[in-house]
């Protein structure tokens, strides 16, 4: 579905987005009839690192994978002119702490190396297109009842810096998602996330206010996941437009 140019250069009209974090990025919403609708201009990198038409579940981290924010994000990011295609690189791993998002770290539950595997997948995708942004949704595994680890922000900063340095993309936009408001314990974590734009250049935070869970008080339901994707797109567009303004 995606091909390199004859010269081996990536297609600048094929926009790549990396989806990383844990289960609410991977998606746990119930799959429905909309989930299997194929959109010719939205592709996903599958488990075999091949671009195929994007359908839910995008992710394959666990058997519970379902509807997440990825496809609705991509739909909202597509320009109307029809020239651009979007390639989603799903690489989130449910249940992972931020401490597992470093080189060499191994998640024994899923038998994966979250950071290393994400980079392998992204580098494969970048043979075909150009990286336009990163979506990060993680924190349920790092949020305490009354406090948040004082090292979380520095770990997140280090993660984003590492990706940018490794891929030579110092200005790639990053959008971070809040945790669900339905669990009061998450409020401390969300308050901390408000520091992200001041701590990480070319970044933004997307609100999860008003989004519901699937009955487990932990995972966004299908409608909420899709709404979250639209909110990610709003922030991503703002960052991209701001970057364009700086380059003029």
């Amino acid at each position: 579905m995606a091909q390199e140019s004859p010269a081996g250069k990536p297609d600048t009209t094929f926009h790549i987005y990396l989806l990383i974090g844990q289960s609410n990025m991977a998606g746990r919403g119930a799959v429905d009839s909309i989930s299997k609708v194929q959109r010719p201009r939205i592709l996903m990198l599958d488990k075999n690192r091949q671009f195929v038409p994007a359908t839910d579940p995008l992710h394959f981290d666990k058997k519970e994978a379902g509807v997440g924010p990825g496809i609705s994000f991509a739909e909202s990011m597509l320009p109307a002119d029809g020239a651009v295609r979007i390639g989603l690189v799903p690489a989130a791993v449910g249940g992972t702490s931020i401490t597992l998002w470093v080189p060499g770290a191994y998640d024994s539950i899923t038998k994966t190396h979250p950071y290393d595997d994400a980079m392998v997948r992204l580098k494969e995708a970048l043979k075909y297109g150009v990286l336009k942004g990163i979506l990060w949704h993680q924190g349920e595994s790092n949020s305490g009842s009354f406090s948040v680890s004082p090292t979380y922000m520095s770990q997140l900063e280090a993660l984003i810096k590492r990706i940018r340095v490794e891929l030579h993309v110092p200005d790639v936009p990053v959008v971070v998602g809040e945790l669900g408001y339905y669990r009061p314990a998450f409020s401390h974590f969300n308050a901390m996330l408000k520091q992200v734009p001041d701590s990480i250049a070319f970044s933004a935070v997307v609100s999860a206010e008003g989004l519901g869970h699937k009955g487990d008080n932990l995972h966004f339901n299908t409608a909420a996941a899709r709404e979250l994707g639209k909110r990610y797109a709003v922030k991503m567009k703002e960052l991209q437009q701001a970057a364009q303004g700086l380059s003029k």
Side-chain angles (χ1 to χ4, degrees), residues 23 26-28 57 59-66 92-96 107 109-110:
S23 57
R28 297 295 187 258
H59 283 77
F60 43 83
D61 59 316
K62 293 183 178 180
K63 61 181 178 59
E64 296 88 357
V93 182
T96 50
D107 178 36
I109 303 296
T110 58

Side-chain angles (χ1 to χ4, degrees), residues 2 43 47 57 59 90 92 117 135 146 156 180 184 192 194 232 235:
L43 305 178
K47 189 174 184 178
H59 283 77
D117 293 347
L135 307 188
F146 301 104
L156 182 57
M192 178 200 64
K194 296 186 186 304
Y232 267 110
K235 292 296 184 181

Side-chain angles (χ1 to χ4, degrees), residues 2-246:
Q3 297 180 346
E4 292 178 274
S5 69
K9 295 181 179 180
D11 181 355
T12 58
T13 65
F14 189 32
H15 294 180
I16 304 297
Y17 291 94
L18 176 64
L19 314 181
I20 49 177
Q22 59 179 114
S23 57
N24 273 316
M25 178 59 75
R28 297 295 187 258
V31 172
D32 59 16
S33 59
I34 298 174
S35 302
K36 298 305 178 183
V37 174
Q38 294 188 2
R39 303 152 183 85
R41 293 168 59 201
I42 302 177
L43 305 178
M44 65 179 186
L45 196 72
D46 68 9
K47 189 174 184 178
N48 298 315
R49 301 204 294 270
Q50 300 292 319
F51 273 112
V52 298
T55 57
D56 285 315
L58 288 174
H59 283 77
F60 43 83
D61 59 316
K62 293 183 178 180
K63 61 181 178 59
E64 296 88 357
V67 176
I71 291 179
S72 62
F73 165 79
E75 289 177 323
S76 298
M77 291 301 298
L78 275 177
D81 62 19
V84 169
R85 294 178 304 151
I86 288 180
L88 300 173
V89 181
V93 182
T96 50
S97 163
I98 197 170
T99 59
L100 293 179
W101 285 88
V102 296
Y106 178 70
D107 178 36
S108 60
I109 303 296
T110 58
K111 297 180 172 57
T112 62
H113 295 82
Y115 178 84
D116 297 330
D117 293 347
M119 290 301 98
V120 168
R121 290 175 55 73
L122 181 55
K123 289 174 182 177
E124 179 65 23
L126 293 179
K127 294 178 181 178
Y128 307 100
V130 292
L131 184 62
K132 287 293 185 177
I134 298 170
L135 307 188
W136 170 258
H137 197 286
Q138 188 278 338
E140 292 88 351
S141 292
N142 287 102
S143 60
S145 297
F146 301 104
S147 63
V148 177
S149 168
T151 64
Y152 187 90
M153 279 301 301
S154 62
Q155 290 172 302
L156 182 57
E157 291 171 29
L159 169 62
I160 301 306
K161 180 179 180 180
R162 186 180 301 115
I163 295 173
R164 286 171 167 172
V165 169
E166 185 169 342
L167 296 173
H168 309 290
V169 287
D171 302 335
V172 67
V174 176
V175 182
V176 176
E178 288 185 337
L179 306 189
Y181 281 42
Y182 38 72
R183 180 175 287 192
F186 289 163
S187 62
H188 305 282
F189 191 90
N190 287 340
M192 178 200 64
L193 288 183
K194 296 186 186 304
Q195 305 169 29
V196 166
D198 296 324
S199 302
I200 301 173
F202 307 106
S203 72
V205 177
V206 59
S207 173
E209 185 173 5
L211 302 183
H213 60 87
K214 59 180 291 184
D216 59 2
N217 208 38
L218 181 62
H219 296 110
F220 294 119
N221 61 35
T222 300
R226 288 175 175 149
E227 173 59 27
L228 184 64
K230 295 175 184 178
R231 296 181 186 183
Y232 267 110
V234 169
K235 292 296 184 181
M236 184 61 71
K237 288 178 181 178
E238 290 176 357
L239 290 173
Q240 291 176 346
Q241 290 167 359
Q244 290 176 354
L246 290 174

